[in-house]
Amino acid sequence: AFGAVYPKHFQRKQSYVSQGNNTLLFYGELYNELDSLTEVEYTLLMFEKYGVQCLSNLNGPFAFFCWNESAQTLLAATDRLGRFPLFYCLIDETICITSDLHPLFASGLMTPSLAQESVIDFLTIGFPLGEKTMFDGIKRATAGEYLLCSPNGIEKERYWKPEYSNT
């Protein structure tokens, strides 16, 4: 799930914790008051207490995956600014979610094929727009979104929207 080489100030060791039916794999940093808990423990506690509503209260750069054994669901989320990207695709009946595309291509599950429209976006404005990526068949969860994966497929929801002001 996690791979990419991030800038040194973001390089942290990923950690996980299991409790009850949930296992949470966390990468990043939280600026919340953690009350002597680790970031992964705090995130799992908030998730178990408030569900996906906890996401808008997590402050800092992060990405995490939370597997719920009883519901057979995987929640994958990135922070409000999307500093740690989450890429996803569906290959046959296999859902792939990763923060780095290199392992996906190296696995042989998918052969990289450039998406012409995204290449044009990149050459014009410097990045693909919205959920598009540089590769056919691969989408990106944008900032402030989470993915909920189940046997029924992938649902994408926005949990945070920036508020604009004219003042």
Side-chain angles (χ1 to χ4, degrees):
F2 290 111
V5 176
Y6 296 107
K8 188 170 185 157
H9 62 282
F10 280 143
Q11 289 181 4
R12 299 181 56 94
K13 189 174 181 182
Q14 67 230 25
S15 56
Y16 73 94
V17 65
S18 291
Q19 184 172 308
N21 288 316
N22 294 312
T23 299
L24 186 111
L25 175 63
F26 183 91
Y27 186 84
E29 182 174 12
L30 292 178
Y31 307 133
N32 299 73
E33 182 60 47
L34 303 179
D35 297 326
S36 75
L37 298 172
T38 65
E39 282 132 336
V40 66
E41 292 167 337
Y42 178 83
T43 303
L44 183 57
L45 178 68
M46 292 297 105
F47 180 71
E48 288 181 337
K49 194 170 185 179
Y50 301 108
V52 294
Q53 288 77 25
C54 80
L55 292 172
S56 59
N57 294 321
L58 297 178
N59 184 19
F62 67 85
F64 73 76
F65 297 86
C66 186
W67 171 252
N68 182 290
E69 182 65 34
S70 62
Q72 296 288 292
T73 58
L74 177 72
L75 176 80
T78 185
D79 63 79
R80 291 177 269 181
L81 299 179
R83 288 170 277 192
F84 296 108
L86 291 177
F87 302 100
Y88 65 99
C89 61
L90 188 61
I91 303 169
D92 297 323
E93 293 185 20
T94 302
I95 295 172
C96 299
I97 304 175
T98 183
S99 64
D100 184 7
L101 293 174
H102 292 94
L104 176 63
F105 298 146
S107 73
L109 289 172
M110 172 179 262
T111 303
S113 170
L114 287 176
Q116 185 176 0
E117 189 176 314
S118 293
V119 172
I120 292 168
D121 288 346
F122 178 78
L123 294 173
T124 305
I125 59 172
F127 53 89
L129 294 171
E131 67 178 11
K132 294 186 288 184
T133 68
M134 296 294 287
F135 300 98
D136 286 322
I138 299 174
K139 295 179 182 179
R140 181 176 62 88
T142 57
E145 289 184 335
Y146 67 87
L147 305 169
L148 184 61
C149 306
S150 70
N152 299 325
I154 304 171
E155 296 175 35
K156 185 172 74 165
E157 295 288 332
R158 178 164 294 286
Y159 69 86
W160 181 81
K161 288 183 183 179
E163 294 183 22
Y164 300 102
S165 168
N166 237 0
T167 59

